[in-house]
């Protein structure tokens, strides 16, 4: 408009400046996509439920988020967990015993981000499938040493996390629950 400042062109990404000048430090950067990879720990709660196959499992998790706009993204998440304990109601004494088992998950769903130039808290709801391998007790032979057979089931993960922005290309995921 005459005597006014023109509006920025449609499609300009947050953090980008059309004239090539310095970006406004108060404007959050909006990446097109975000990839995460890291250590993951799974603790079943409450542990006394018989449906909780792997009470203490640790492994690897990775996810890819495609950001549709500043607030909404679609996430695809996969994880592998290895379990080393079985219980708390393991035979014969009802305690926790050494075991081996595996779990794989593949989930997808929406993520809502609350972007700030220095950090990005988010919440997400992921839905998908889990494959649990058979669980075998350690130092055990004979009948009853495989207390859980392999099975697949639907899975759900609701939670959130906090990313700390280091650069436009790198952020540190402080936590994800």
């Amino acid at each position: 408009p005459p005597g006014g400042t023109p509006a920025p062109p449609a499609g300009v990404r947050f953090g980008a400046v059309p004239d090539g000048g310095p970006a406004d430090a108060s404007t959050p950067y909006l990446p097109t996509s975000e990839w995460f990879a890291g250590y993951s720990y799974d603790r079943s709660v409450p542990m006394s439920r018989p449906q909780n196959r792997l009470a203490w499992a640790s492994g690897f998790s990775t996810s890819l988020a495609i950001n549709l706009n500043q607030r909404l993204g679609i996430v695809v998440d996969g994880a592998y967990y290895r379990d080393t304990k079985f219980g708390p109601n393991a035979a014969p004494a009802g305690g926790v015993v050494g075991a081996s088992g595996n779990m794989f998950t593949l989930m997808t769903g929406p993520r809502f981000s609350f972007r700030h130039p220095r950090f990005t808290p988010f919440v997400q709801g992921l839905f998908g499938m889990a494959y649990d391998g058979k669980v075998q007790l350690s130092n055990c032979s004979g009948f009853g040493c495989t207390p859980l057979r392999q099975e697949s089931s639907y899975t759900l993960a609701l939670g959130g996390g906090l990313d700390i922005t280091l650069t436009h290309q790198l952020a540190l995921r402080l936590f994800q629950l």
Side-chain angles (χ1 to χ4, degrees):
T5 305
V12 172
R13 209 159 45 159
F14 288 94
V17 177
D19 65 3
D24 180 358
S26 65
T27 303
Y29 174 69
L30 177 63
T32 306
S33 62
E34 299 170 280
W35 176 61
F36 166 79
Y39 171 78
S40 186
Y41 179 76
D42 180 63
R43 176 76 183 259
S44 298
V45 177
M47 289 182 47
S48 59
R49 295 187 68 199
Q51 295 89 347
N52 290 341
R53 298 172 52 93
L54 304 175
W56 300 271
S58 60
F60 178 82
S61 175
T62 188
S63 66
L64 177 66
I66 305 298
N67 295 313
L68 304 176
N69 59 41
Q70 185 179 10
R71 299 270 186 239
L72 179 62
I74 301 297
V75 179
V76 176
D77 181 277
Y80 163 77
Y81 297 95
R82 179 86 175 140
D83 186 51
T84 57
K85 297 179 185 176
F86 180 74
N89 299 316
V96 175
V97 297
S100 65
N102 297 310
M103 178 175 64
F104 301 92
T105 62
L106 183 60
M107 299 179 285
T108 189
R111 173 184 292 168
F112 296 95
S113 300
F114 307 94
R115 297 189 185 279
H116 182 272
R118 305 238 183 254
F119 57 89
T120 303
F122 64 90
V123 294
Q124 61 189 15
L126 306 178
F127 312 88
M129 294 295 294
Y131 167 79
D132 299 318
K134 64 182 176 182
V135 174
Q136 294 182 295
L137 302 182
S138 300
N139 302 321
C140 182
S141 61
F143 182 76
C145 292
T146 305
L148 297 173
R149 61 182 171 78
Q150 70 182 26
E151 66 181 11
S152 298
S153 64
Y154 293 106
T155 190
L156 163 72
L158 300 174
L162 178 64
D163 292 341
I164 304 298
T165 304
L166 302 176
T167 70
H168 281 316
Q169 291 80 27
L170 185 64
L172 172 67
R173 179 147 300 161
L174 193 57
F175 68 87
Q176 180 175 328
L177 304 172

